[in-house]
Amino acid sequence: MIIVMAPGSTAEDLERVKTKIKSEGLDYHLSTGTSRTIVGVIGDKKAISELEMHCALPGVEKTVRITEKYKLVSREFKQENSVIDVGGVKIGGPEPVVMAGPCAVESMDQLMEAAQAVAEGGAQFLRGGAYKPRTSPYDFQGMAEDGLQMLRKAADKFSLKVVTEVLDQRTVEEVAEYTDVLQIGARNMQNFQLLKEVGRAGRPVLLKRGLCATIKEWLNAAEYVMSSGCDDVIFCERGIRTYETYTRNTLDLSAVVAVKELSHLPIIVDPSHGTGRRSMVSPMAKAAIAAGADGLIIEVHPHPEVALCDGDQSLTPEEFKKVMAEIKRMSAILREE
Amino acid sequence: MIIVMAPGSTAEDLERVKTKIKSEGLDYHLSTGTSRTIVGVIGDKKAISELEMHCALPGVEKTVRITEKYKLVSREFKQENSVIDVGGVKIGGPEPVVMAGPCAVESMDQLMEAAQAVAEGGAQFLRGGAYKPRTSPYDFQGMAEDGLQMLRKAADKFSLKVVTEVLDQRTVEEVAEYTDVLQIGARNMQNFQLLKEVGRAGRPVLLKRGLCATIKEWLNAAEYVMSSGCDDVIFCERGIRTYETYTRNTLDLSAVVAVKELSHLPIIVDPSHGTGRRSMVSPMAKAAIAAGADGLIIEVHPHPEVALCDGDQSLTPEEFKKVMAEIKRMSAILREE
Amino acid sequence: MIIVMAPGSTAEDLERVKTKIKSEGLDYHLSTGTSRTIVGVIGDKKAISELEMHCALPGVEKTVRITEKYKLVSREFKQENSVIDVGGVKIGGPEPVVMAGPCAVESMDQLMEAAQAVAEGGAQFLRGGAYKPRTSPYDFQGMAEDGLQMLRKAADKFSLKVVTEVLDQRTVEEVAEYTDVLQIGARNMQNFQLLKEVGRAGRPVLLKRGLCATIKEWLNAAEYVMSSGCDDVIFCERGIRTYETYTRNTLDLSAVVAVKELSHLPIIVDPSHGTGRRSMVSPMAKAAIAAGADGLIIEVHPHPEVALCDGDQSLTPEEFKKVMAEIKRMSAILREE
Amino acid sequence: MIIVMAPGSTAEDLERVKTKIKSEGLDYHLSTGTSRTIVGVIGDKKAISELEMHCALPGVEKTVRITEKYKLVSREFKQENSVIDVGGVKIGGPEPVVMAGPCAVESMDQLMEAAQAVAEGGAQFLRGGAYKPRTSPYDFQGMAEDGLQMLRKAADKFSLKVVTEVLDQRTVEEVAEYTDVLQIGARNMQNFQLLKEVGRAGRPVLLKRGLCATIKEWLNAAEYVMSSGCDDVIFCERGIRTYETYTRNTLDLSAVVAVKELSHLPIIVDPSHGTGRRSMVSPMAKAAIAAGADGLIIEVHPHPEVALCDGDQSLTPEEFKKVMAEIKRMSAILREE
């Protein structure tokens, strides 16, 4: 059960609720957001039922029964869709939001060229990795803080927001300084310490699905972020690992529908990692929007043939502009329905 | 290598080609279509290269080098898209084709109601199983020939074509009598004897992807059908088996793009089996069209709550009409691109 | 529920039972074995409970409640392990049974050499494919009836039994003439027509697990064979398809334990297809026996480097003898426990 | 290429090698072990070939060409098996090493009872989680430092070594104080920051395979640990995620053989998480040893029915003793071969 404290409730009200919970032999989990405080009650089901009947305490707005382990994340907890506002860009609203840019930050020139291209194409966000999780320790690991500075500079020049990955608990604060949205990569989806730290960093979080995570595990990972204090989680489907080898991953677009059914949070799709093949990015981007995704994250590189990573799956600026135009027309049609 | 005989070539021309092949120590595979004869040359690569240089024989239209094991199926063999004409309904052309109806034929009443609904919704085909492949021998196995007769009757009444599954080598001829398109189900995708027999039955074949078939295995399965004499194969993506349990299968829409890259044959999508959940059928149907699918096969039941099989994934007639209208508008937009 | 008729029961007894079942609005499935007749009752659970209470009819030995869809196959139906006697070779008893030989029958010489080697190594069965299920129609499809004759001849010369695959409903009888055990390959595990036909062929059946079949689907496939009249089904774990590409398949030895828990039937393991790598065959063969398998099926080729198929995973005669000696000593130890 | 510095080489020798590498336009990676220094050369293949021909510098013992991305880990780099000595217990030697204990540390009493049982059964290590990675933030997260103290105390009392998981970069030092071997759990196999930190902690590392990690990704993860300075990595196969739901994971014993082929490092198996079912732990433990594993990690709980986590897969002390006796006899037989 979750107890939602009323907006104007006092510290005493909260104290009274906590005492009541403890007196029933139960425990609680506190989530203090900017506008409201939520008390998640944990423990024996019977005791929770008892408590529910006697919970008409001052300062309590409502109590909500949640049947799944994930609570703050669930559609049961919040009926209406969450719209996440990132400095005026609204994720989860009627317009799809597009994040685009190179896999890795390589140089100021590359980034400026990329930023211009994605801005002209109509993207709202510049993406790019300054810290790269690589299978081998001998592969390019990213430009670190230099890369973050370049990202910010290029984005600002073209009025774009920044989304970039954070890999390391110790650099969460540093990365948060430069970025508008903190990205958790697929390999870290169940790095629970990192989830808790980004949850406390005061930035919206883009949570990629793990390589073989179930939908429910993914929702539980988001619950780690939300229960650490961050209300603004955006899911990102990026393909799952299957036996098929023709594509790099198998992009699971039904996950878009599933997340929308089970959660109030927005979800975007990454057709670049989801397929690993340039020729598939555009058709799968359109399919994602048709399935109901709130946006896309797409790899765009001014010169894919010389990219330090993921060149095979990066669109050229021209290809990007073309698919953006198609998506715009398609999503206008879909909105009318 | 494949040797394509010219339309007006004679039996003697063909004989000369065969003799030449044998004289080089190679073997051949003959594919005699309605309009052309194709000689697939099999054997040692060097000998094939030799042969190619000396193959300017009378009656030979062209020779084609094919790098994959599947040949007739491949885009290398035929550059332009194949459009399959089923009594005037064109699969693979600009308009998406929709096959709809109940999972299993249950009664004449059920089928008439279903046929009317899908015809009114704009489907061109009535689907329905008369022979059902069931995991357990104690589950409903279908109405057999009675079911076939009902299907034909209901389809004819509403000017629909029929597509239905054939399970058994011994009933291929019987089923072919009643149906316009012969369906090979996922469990039989590598039942090679059945593939050969349906290839000889004189009907277009709808070839569902196996539960854990790779794209390449699927193309090779189609090669079995084509090399047995049938030019009209339609692929059907229906979801693959993964670790995810929220959906019945994981619908792999990137397979649509892959098949279009590798083959000239059309491909449709089955969002009903692909997801196993009614709420997901419409969004995934739209996503399939956006990804470039040539059509859909959708389970529609007049009363899903009493269906003998797959009720959970069947649309009601109203839901079907709604998604058909959406698809129509969306595909008009996509065609303009 | 299953009704087991007593050994001396009459046709009238059976008739009375059938009438009783029908009068309760239920249906039945008849399994007439050599020594007993079993009536599987199918239908509404409440009606079955009713029937159970009033089923003390003449000729009825016992009634058994089965909670799973597979009934004859289940451990609930038969507590003790089934031991299948193939002309004196006992599968499911204390000694592991080994089937060995080449992937495909290639020539009389090859087979004679292979048969001698596997007999000397201590195998009880000669394996070898006369009909081969191949991904591509242009791959070697087997020597057909000639191959069957060679198999029988080579096996007889070295006092071995024969196990070989049947692919085609139309050749079940032909294959059954030459072989002691009929093998159903992985690709045909859910070819239900073929399962029914081999169930009626009067030979024990070796049922390989499908490439992505669950344990329960596999047990249900065996139920198709048993409910068609064959009591002697042997399971064969041969690896499942996963994302891992280092091995051809992922050999699932926990399936050995699972099958032993859920069924009374014996199970053997195929480490050759299960790994696809010669170097892995011996360690995985030993692991299979340690996990409790009743035997092994191993590819052995006198000259793996020139094998027409699966040379990479075939043991040489020397390697085979070595692993056989190890297994013998290991299984003696395991039996003492 | 890897350049191995001779045991008595000087700092000047090393400096000369570095300068040489840089002068060829290449980069290097330094691995300074207790007894030797290794210089991994990274960069363009042609330049590396050049360098190799001119690398007869003072202090260089040998140069080794490595074809895979993982180098220090590979069998190419080191031919003989590595034996890891943990205070006298040798992992990778002729005797299998067994780590056993509860999933989570729950109390001093529970742990003392468990430690006594596993010591009596013949285990050399006490296992137990003080920090638990849990899917939901509301599940029991472990007793933290209190748990570590209890582990150490209980292990010392029964002369056992300790292995326990570290989840958090910030607690690596703390955990290293109490434990003999640092465990990296499956969910953190590609948490590269954590891998680097445990690599610098001065303790042997037990590296569990990720839920859907390929063998090669796993070897690369070990390369992160080794290239950070730790020579003593032990692999642990704990089951991979597949479509099968009867078992918690699919235990991939062929991975034991694969790791032994590709690497010189030892590998143990976790049949508890690998199957998730108590009844399967003993047979799969024996199978692991038969496949060539260097040891086992097994969940044992004095009272599985009240365990806070993983009770369903924990052996009782009696079951543990029984399987240990069987393994002892079996491994004696296997060693003779």
Side-chain angles (χ1 to χ4, degrees), chain D residues 100-118:
Chain D
C103 175
V105 176
E106 297 169 12
S107 71
M108 200 66 239
D109 283 358
Q110 169 235 27
L111 213 53
M112 279 292 174
E113 215 178 330
Q116 180 168 8
V118 306

Side-chain angles (χ1 to χ4, degrees), chain C residues 4-287:
Chain C
V4 185
M5 300 304 292
S9 63
T10 65
E12 277 164 29
D13 291 339
L14 185 59
E15 217 46 52
R16 217 176 292 118
V17 167
K18 289 180 185 176
T19 308
K20 178 74 186 165
I21 292 169
K22 287 288 190 186
S23 75
E24 300 283 342
L26 294 161
D27 207 349
Y28 58 85
H29 183 280
L30 222 60
S31 162
T32 316
T34 42
S35 60
R36 59 177 158 68
T37 295
I38 286 159
V39 190
V41 185
I42 310 160
D44 179 68
K45 281 187 185 179
K46 274 190 202 166
I48 290 179
S49 289
E50 280 291 313
L51 176 67
E52 200 181 12
M53 288 185 292
H54 304 91
C55 206
L57 296 172
V60 170
E61 189 182 300
K62 60 172 175 175
T63 64
V64 188
R65 274 293 189 98
I66 313 281
T67 51
E68 294 283 348
K69 286 232 165 165
Y70 49 90
K71 299 183 190 307
L72 305 173
V73 159
S74 73
R75 186 66 83 176
E76 282 179 313
F77 176 61
K78 189 177 166 208
Q79 300 290 316
E80 68 277 22
N81 288 336
S82 286
V83 178
I84 293 171
D85 189 324
V86 184
V89 176
K90 292 190 167 63
I91 306 174
E95 296 281 350
V97 168
V98 178
M99 310 177 176
C103 174
V105 176
E106 298 169 11
S107 71
M108 199 66 238
D109 284 357
Q110 169 234 28
L111 214 52
M112 279 293 176
E113 216 178 327
Q116 181 168 9
V118 306
E120 286 175 11
Q124 295 92 342
F125 275 79
L126 180 64
R127 62 145 290 153
Y131 294 98
K132 302 296 306 169
R134 301 304 296 270
T135 301
S136 161
Y138 309 122
D139 285 337
F140 175 58
Q141 309 272 319
M143 297 188 70
E145 195 161 2
D146 285 354
L148 294 174
Q149 287 169 353
M150 292 177 190
L151 260 180
R152 186 74 264 168
K153 210 166 151 189
D156 285 349
K157 174 139 187 210
F158 298 97
S159 303
L160 295 165
K161 307 295 169 197
V162 170
V163 58
T164 198
E165 180 167 356
V166 59
L167 286 178
D168 185 342
Q169 293 165 243
R170 297 190 207 274
T171 58
V172 171
E173 271 184 55
E174 177 201 310
V175 179
E177 243 179 80
Y178 293 99
T179 196
D180 299 292
V181 170
L182 283 163
Q183 178 183 321
I184 296 290
R187 282 166 190 75
N188 280 316
M189 194 204 85
Q190 291 196 317
N191 180 342
F192 300 120
Q193 299 306 316
L194 187 60
L195 294 178
K196 287 180 202 167
E197 300 223 17
V198 298
R200 290 188 288 261
R203 295 272 178 218
V205 173
L206 183 72
L207 180 64
K208 288 203 152 190
R209 184 179 182 181
L211 272 76
C212 62
T214 64
I215 305 275
K216 301 250 166 135
E217 287 169 344
W218 196 13
L219 296 176
N220 274 301
E223 188 78 15
Y224 267 96
V225 179
M226 287 194 79
S227 65
S228 300
C230 170
D231 283 348
D232 297 335
V233 178
I234 305 142
F235 289 101
C236 178
E237 162 63 31
R238 46 76 72 205
I240 58 172
R241 184 162 276 184
T242 69
Y243 65 84
E244 178 60 70
T245 54
Y246 189 76
T247 44
R248 182 172 175 179
N249 292 290
T250 297
L251 191 64
D252 176 13
L253 292 183
S254 65
V256 172
V257 190
V259 165
K260 292 252 160 239
E261 286 176 8
L262 300 173
S263 173
H264 54 89
L265 294 167
I267 175 167
I268 69 170
V269 169
D270 177 348
S272 307
H273 287 88
T275 66
R277 301 178 82 103
R278 184 178 308 144
S279 62
M280 290 185 165
V281 173
S282 293
M284 294 309 280
K286 288 186 275 183

